[in-house]
Amino acid sequence: MDAGSEIVYEMPGFIRIHKSGRVERLQGTETVPPCPSGDPANGVASKDVVLDPAANVSARLYLPAAGAAEPGKKFPVVVYFHGGAFVVHTAASPIYHKYAASLAAAAPAVVVSVDYRLAPEHPLPAAYDDAFAALKAVVAACRPDGAEPWLAAHGDASRVVLAGDSAGANMAHNTAMRLRKDGIEGYGDKVSGVALLHSYFWGTEPVGGESPDAAFFYPGDVERVWDVACGDKFGRDHPYINPAASPEEWRQLGSGRVLVTTAELCWFVERARAYAEGIKACGWAGELEFYETKGESHTYFLFNPDCDDAAKELAVVADFVRRC
């Protein structure tokens, strides 16, 4: 066997990395096209755009049916980051296309589902940089003279929500942290809300009822996923993955409203509970909403979107967006 074909890391059914550097993605490679004329299920139109040509950041935009019916109507803008452990999926993945369209219809809101560079070819902080570039581009595009017509006509820059699931929720958190630190010229240092759905956070010490041997498939792989995502550049208690490691920074989160959702059987349920408690304890002076679904697993709403629990969780997120 070719020495370069030796497998140096594998997450079963997810990703396989070879010694040569070749990456096999075992899921998250299927895509679906946008629906520019509107999805028959909900009337939401979608299209693919380049948000920032210089940074090569693209996204799939979703416009609720009311946008086409009322040319001047403004909506909140949800900047959404997909999950996939920083290594798989795109905005065009079927599960994310369906979820973003459903959220656009339910809120209603303009949803900007961001494509970002994936690890291991582009280790963190590449995805974080893309996320912040996307936020800056969206804010600029929401001006009346903005370069993107849907955002210029319908995006309300005063009602921007950063959202994501799993690794994407981690990105939403870290984008809000960077916003407060760096700000955006002409916009400020806060968004209206941050929605963290089944967030991927971790740390060296267990929290709550978490097992020290917690694993996706085999002991140690929860930690190893992070090492692969960041190319071993950031420790497992870096604030990127463990906000509680730096409470003085955490209290500066760039939003006054946060929604945390999780599920009873989620791999990261204890981290979500700890996030909800920790952000209040660290001195952050905002409004927190916490929602936990009983009897469900990590991001179940993506894989079983038509179940009652998924509809209830979508309604919680949509309501949060409307109130931001």
Side-chain angles (χ1 to χ4, degrees):
M1 184 175 67
D2 181 2
S5 66
E6 178 186 341
I7 297 171
V8 295
Y9 174 76
E10 181 172 9
M11 188 173 177
F14 211 72
I15 192 171
R16 187 179 295 137
I17 303 172
H18 296 260
K19 189 174 183 179
S20 65
R22 182 168 66 92
V23 177
E24 290 182 83
R25 290 184 167 85
L26 308 177
Q27 66 167 267
T29 58
E30 182 185 356
T31 62
V32 293
C35 303
S37 59
D39 189 323
N42 49 36
V44 173
S46 55
K47 64 179 178 179
D48 294 332
V49 301
V50 177
L51 289 175
D52 184 339
N56 196 30
V57 177
S58 60
R60 181 163 290 185
L61 267 58
Y62 297 83
L63 181 67
E70 301 179 56
K73 186 174 178 61
K74 293 287 188 177
F75 299 94
V77 179
V78 178
V79 181
Y80 193 89
F81 307 109
H82 68 79
F86 300 103
V87 298
V88 296
H89 285 297
T90 69
S93 294
I95 57 174
Y96 287 108
H97 177 75
K98 182 176 177 66
Y99 184 78
S102 298
L103 179 57
V110 178
V111 175
V112 183
S113 184
V114 179
D115 267 322
Y116 54 87
R117 287 171 291 173
L118 299 177
E121 299 94 331
H122 305 283
L124 295 171
Y128 296 146
D129 291 340
D130 291 350
F132 195 64
L135 175 60
K136 290 194 292 184
V138 166
V139 168
C142 286
R143 295 194 300 255
D145 61 346
E148 207 306 300
W150 285 5
L151 287 169
H154 300 289
D156 185 348
S158 70
R159 301 176 66 198
V160 174
V161 176
L162 295 170
D165 67 279
S166 194
N170 176 295
M171 291 175 64
H173 163 85
N174 281 298
T175 302
M177 294 298 298
R178 182 167 174 180
L179 176 63
R180 188 61 184 272
K181 179 182 177 182
D182 294 351
I184 296 176
E185 186 176 356
Y187 177 73
D189 60 2
K190 286 187 176 183
V191 290
S192 295
V194 177
L196 308 178
L197 317 181
H198 301 219
S199 312
Y200 173 35
F201 293 116
W202 206 249
T204 56
E205 296 298 322
V207 298
E210 206 168 64
S211 167
D213 299 319
F216 299 125
F217 298 102
Y218 53 87
D221 67 347
V222 174
E223 289 87 355
R224 187 64 183 132
V225 166
W226 174 248
D227 298 341
V228 169
C230 70
D232 292 305
K233 284 190 288 188
F234 306 112
R236 296 166 186 171
D237 280 320
H238 191 282
Y240 281 157
I241 189 67
N242 185 7
S246 184
E248 67 280 2
E249 291 183 20
W250 196 6
R251 69 169 64 103
Q252 299 299 318
L253 185 84
S255 180
R257 298 185 186 93
V258 173
L259 167 66
V260 176
T261 79
T262 188
E264 182 183 17
L265 306 179
C266 177
W267 291 310
F268 309 115
V269 63
E270 294 290 359
R271 296 287 160 173
R273 294 167 179 164
Y275 188 104
E277 290 299 320
I279 195 171
K280 291 184 291 185
C282 77
W284 173 75
E287 300 174 14
L288 174 79
E289 183 174 348
F290 181 80
Y291 181 83
E292 182 175 327
T293 302
K294 302 301 180 183
E296 297 285 4
S297 58
H298 184 63
T299 63
Y300 71 93
F301 55 86
L302 295 173
F303 304 100
N304 192 11
D306 298 320
C307 72
D308 289 344
D309 282 340
K312 291 175 183 175
E313 184 158 340
L314 177 64
V316 168
V317 178
D319 181 65
F320 176 78
V321 171
R322 281 194 296 272
R323 289 185 285 107
C324 283

